[in-house]
Amino acid sequence: MPILEFKDVSKTYNNVTKALQEVSFSIEEGEFVSIIGPSGAGKSTLLRCINRLVDASSGVIIFDGQDITDVKKKELRKVRTKTGMIFQHYNLVDRLSVIENVLHGTLGQKSTISGMTGHYTEEEKEKAFGIINELGLADQAYKRCDELSGGQKQRVGIARAIMQQPKLILCDEPIASLDPKASKTIMDHLSNINRNKKITCIVNLHQVDVAMKYSERIIGVAEGRIVFDGPPEQLSEEMIHQIYQSNSSDLITDVGYAQ
Amino acid sequence: MKLNKDTENVFKKRKITYTIVFVGVLIVYFIASTVTKFHLWDGLVSIPKAIVWMGEKLVPDAAAMAKLPKILKKLFETALLSVAVTVIAAIIAFFFSLLGSKTTKVNGIVNRLVRIVAAFFRNVPDVVWAMLLMFSFGQNILTGFFALFFTTFGLLTRAFIETIDEVSSSCVEALDATGATFIQTVFQGIIPASITEIITWVLYMIETNIRSSTLIGMLTATGIGYLFDLYYKRLDFASAGLIVISMVVLVITIEGVSNRIRKVIQ
Ligand SMILES: Nc1ncnc2c1ncn2[C@@H]1O[C@H](COP(=O)(O)OP(=O)(O)O)[C@@H](O)[C@H]1O
Ligand SMILES: [Mg+2]
């Protein structure tokens, strides 16, 4: 049984922008899937439909055997605890320490009061330190996040997601703001988590080469539609051009400019 | 060739804009001074005379110094009132700003409503509020309290909404994604992310309110404003001058303290 299934999912913003158009696919437990496509293609929208930061306009989304398309508050909270999310701009609370940010991963499972006052059990703290250690941030645990480098911040983001003990991790351009070395560290960590903790990963990526290297499956999105879905070996040069609409559109602008 | 022409055009456009703005300002000035019969030159000429007058009359003498304890007591009361008003208004404004912020996505209609209410309270000047409230409370400390409260509330609500939207929208998205509740998100995300800016705003409003409360006190016959009005009308300019000096000292002290606080919480 797939962990995630999209059936004809569409999303239209403000009744005009068609960000997703009848998208269907399914993902098996434990897969590492990259989503590639030009900016504005709908990658972030697709990812956010999964944890309902964005509500789909039509279609059905099934996650972990449950139709989550219309689930309400309490149930939605439960769904979100099962999906971790990693962002391009890390989205940490910069003025709080690393350990506090990582512990935010437990909020979904806590009572409102203990979450509000930041009361965490010894067990939770130990677990957080364990994860921080695994990600090589032991020396930074008590530092404020605004003192960290981009690569370190993203590792805190990953730690926060793992802290949730999710079944699925959604990564929205996790390396788009990082230098090549930090990018490699982050991608290696994601890859390890996928393999060792058996957590399914869906990663939005800008860089085709990174997608080819790390994922066992690539989904190509253009103008809100899936135009490619398969293993990296099948992704031809031609297909890449089609996804990024680079060949034809470049040609048109060139001609227009010459005249 | 084409590029050069374009560049030239850009600079030409800028020059024209500057000229238009400069001429426009001159025209507005001439119209305004004609209508109001205000003449800059006459105004400038009278400045030295005013300074001489202030130097002669507003300098505190021995008799005025005898009133210093009384003045300081009133000044202290006024300052405390301003602090109390600002803090209470800030707490209420914070909860309102949560409803008015786009980040929290509470509800579109509530959102708009909060912004309108805040704009209304903010855009009526505190002195006008004081005059309006005088009908219901009379010349009373409550009048001054609410007059300051309303403008402070309106202003801080707007400032907090902007702060929250600016500094905490990204971490709110992340906390939402973990399944945190609204209240958890507020206390674990929004407050830590925006507390420095919020405190800065509150300190600024305390400074502003100490100045405003003097003026309002003149209307409502309370606090240091009342005392100033009293001495002034008695033509006891020396004592009035002492009030001005002690106020300046107080406001500068408070500015210094809040600068220090701001550095510490950074
Ligand atoms: N909140 C929003 N409101 C309106 N339009 C949006 C919103 N978010 C995204 N869009 C639009 O939807 C389309 C897809 O955006 P997005 O999912 O962010 O693409 P990608 O992540 O691939 O760059 C774009 O045209 C974008 O302008
Ligand atoms: Mg995006």
Side-chain angles (χ1 to χ4, degrees), chain A residues 13-14 17 19 38-45:
Chain A
Y13 287 108
N14 312 319
T17 318
S39 81
K43 305 183 296 295
S44 299
T45 305

Side-chain angles (χ1 to χ4, degrees), chain A residues 48 51 53 77 80-81 83 85 87 91-93 95-96 104-105 107-108 110-113 115-118 120 144 160 164, chain B residues 2 105 167 169-171 173-181 183-185 187-189 191-197 265-266:
Chain A
R48 280 169 173 70
N51 60 5
L53 287 178
R77 237 189 121 192
R80 284 178 175 170
T81 60
T83 56
M85 191 161 197
F87 304 83
N91 295 22
L92 306 172
V93 184
R95 288 213 183 94
L96 294 183
H104 282 167
L107 287 177
K110 296 178 87 69
S111 74
T112 291
I113 296 295
M116 168 187 137
T117 53
Y120 302 101
R144 265 169 55 151
R160 178 176 61 191
Q164 288 178 238
Chain B
K2 195 165 168 255
K105 297 195 196 82
V167 300
S169 62
S170 70
C171 64
E173 187 184 30
L175 290 184
D176 276 349
T178 67
T181 60
I183 294 174
Q184 289 174 343
T185 307
F187 281 84
Q188 289 296 316
I191 293 180
S194 54
I195 191 71
T196 311
E197 283 81 0
I265 58 171
Q266 220 14 270

Side-chain angles (χ1 to χ4, degrees), chain B residues 70-220:
Chain B
K70 197 175 162 192
I71 290 173
L72 288 183
K73 185 168 165 277
K74 280 284 178 203
L75 195 62
F76 189 62
E77 272 176 30
T78 308
L80 274 188
L81 179 82
S82 308
V83 173
V85 167
T86 313
V87 170
I88 294 170
I91 291 168
I92 298 173
F94 179 73
F95 287 105
F96 263 78
S97 64
L98 289 176
L99 302 178
S101 128
K102 289 205 175 69
T103 305
T104 53
K105 297 195 196 82
V106 175
N107 178 312
I109 300 163
V110 175
N111 222 285
R112 188 105 20 107
L113 208 70
V114 167
R115 283 162 193 259
I116 291 170
V117 169
F120 174 72
F121 279 112
R122 178 175 71 240
N123 286 315
V124 178
D126 42 17
V127 175
V128 174
W129 272 124
M131 292 167 97
L132 291 175
L133 289 167
M134 227 145 24
F135 290 118
S136 25
F137 295 115
Q139 286 199 323
N140 191 310
I141 189 102
L142 273 181
T143 305
F145 181 92
F146 280 111
L148 284 178
F149 176 84
F150 286 160
T151 33
T152 308
F153 165 76
L155 219 140
L156 285 182
T157 301
R158 160 149 181 209
F160 290 172
I161 286 175
E162 273 169 19
T163 302
I164 289 173
D165 284 346
E166 199 171 303
V167 300
S168 65
S169 62
S170 70
C171 64
V172 166
E173 187 184 30
L175 290 184
D176 276 349
T178 67
T181 60
F182 176 69
I183 294 174
Q184 289 174 343
T185 307
V186 170
F187 281 84
Q188 289 296 316
I190 293 178
I191 293 180
S194 54
I195 191 71
T196 311
E197 283 81 0
I198 285 177
I199 290 176
T200 303
W201 271 109
V202 171
L203 292 172
Y204 170 74
M205 280 315 290
I206 287 175
E207 290 167 26
T208 312
N209 279 343
I210 285 176
R211 278 178 289 245
S212 308
S213 62
T214 312
L215 195 61
I216 291 172
M218 288 183 199
L219 289 170
T220 60

Side-chain angles (χ1 to χ4, degrees), chain B residues 41-55:
Chain B
W41 184 245
D42 294 352
L44 286 178
V45 167
S46 63
I47 287 178
K49 245 168 64 188
I51 289 174
V52 170
W53 184 88
M54 285 199 280

